[in-house]
Amino acid sequence: MHDDLSPLCSRFLEAADLLGRRWTGVILRILMDGPCRFGELTERIGTISERVLSERLKDLEAEGILERHVDPGPPIRSEYRLTEKGQAFWKVIDELGKWAERWVDVKATRAAPRKRKSA
Amino acid sequence: MHDDLSPLCSRFLEAADLLGRRWTGVILRILMDGPCRFGELTERIGTISERVLSERLKDLEAEGILERHVDPGPPIRSEYRLTEKGQAFWKVIDELGKWAERWVDVKATRAAPRKRKSA
DNA sequence: GGCACTTACTTACTTTTTGGAAGTTACTTG
DNA sequence: CAAGTAACTTCCAAAAAGTAAGTAAGTGCC
């Protein structure tokens, strides 16, 4: 007997794990439109908490998917932009967007806790 | 002042939320290869807990992405297979796979808790 | 200089999700 | 009928995400 039937490619597992963290897809989607600052990301996403946004940005930076640029103004501003690796993700986001447009039906307005089951 | 600058399409948010739950992408990836039973999914994924697999399958069924077929054998067996909506997801999975192959470098073996930071 | 305001985050604390392992139910086989 | 298997469920602990308040650096005004 084998202990493992056709194990999934570990690269795929990593990629899926990346997207499997909440907000990752949305952050990437926004950055596809161009560099963005912390506050702008917060506003555009709308319901993400700053705590998690900060964490996610660090993750993505550590993964080499985006870079943080600090412009010491004087009005100091930081900006997040995709690296080549991050840009390359656009096809995934694009297909996800197409799928969503075709198959997701807009129901109610989503609230904070992922989903309120019925009541 | 506006309270919301270019809000993201809510369909996209839903789709991203779907994929933003751990294991969703992996489950979909496996089902792309054809119908699969509970135990087989468990084995192929390797590190998912049955508790979560069960939950995720229910979610996906509720979303109309997959269907559960129970074959009352006698050797009773259940099988999960993608619906049309689920099949349509293949492009997303495919692009994710391509991206992973090109950009993810295989490092260590992944352990259970998402990621062990250093120590 | 002091006070108010902004940006970009942290920190502390609570609620959800996920993981791990041991049941449970239904049926099969010896 | 004891043992085993498949497909789950339950219970409990650990990790992740939500919420809100706090911090640090800098600007604008008086």
Side-chain angles (χ1 to χ4, degrees), chain A residues 10 13 31 50 93:
Chain A
S10 67
L13 283 179
L31 290 178
E50 301 186 335
I93 297 297

Side-chain angles (χ1 to χ4, degrees), chain A residues 37 70-78:
Chain A
R37 290 179 298 112
V70 183
D71 170 29
I76 189 177
R77 284 155 175 287
S78 66

Side-chain angles (χ1 to χ4, degrees), chain A residues 1-117:
Chain A
M1 59 180 88
H2 43 229
D3 49 14
D4 201 26
L5 38 135
S6 88
L8 281 174
C9 167
S10 67
R11 289 171 206 264
F12 184 87
L13 283 179
E14 271 223 31
D17 205 43
L18 182 82
L19 226 51
R21 289 183 194 137
R22 208 182 175 186
W23 301 117
T24 305
V26 179
I27 293 170
L28 256 26
R29 166 63 225 286
I30 292 175
L31 290 178
M32 291 293 160
D33 293 344
C36 207
R37 290 179 298 112
F38 189 88
E40 206 179 328
L41 279 166
T42 306
E43 274 188 275
R44 293 240 286 166
I45 300 177
T47 51
I48 193 175
S49 69
E50 301 186 335
R51 201 196 68 74
V52 175
L53 177 56
S54 173
E55 192 173 292
R56 212 73 338 143
L57 290 170
K58 270 182 209 151
D59 292 349
L60 292 170
E61 192 182 2
E63 302 256 19
I65 289 174
L66 56 79
E67 287 172 335
R68 194 171 91 103
H69 290 270
V70 183
D71 170 29
I76 189 177
R77 284 155 175 287
S78 66
E79 202 178 61
Y80 296 88
R81 55 184 64 168
L82 297 174
T83 59
E84 198 191 343
K85 182 175 177 180
Q87 294 282 357
F89 213 86
W90 87 269
K91 286 188 182 179
V92 180
I93 297 297
D94 191 47
E95 289 297 342
L96 183 60
K98 286 186 203 161
W99 181 87
E101 206 165 315
R102 166 73 182 79
W103 295 97
V104 177
D105 53 314
V106 191
K107 13 198 169 194
T109 15
R110 306 181 336 128
R114 203 147 221 167
K115 211 149 207 175
R116 226 69 86 126
K117 17 201 78 175

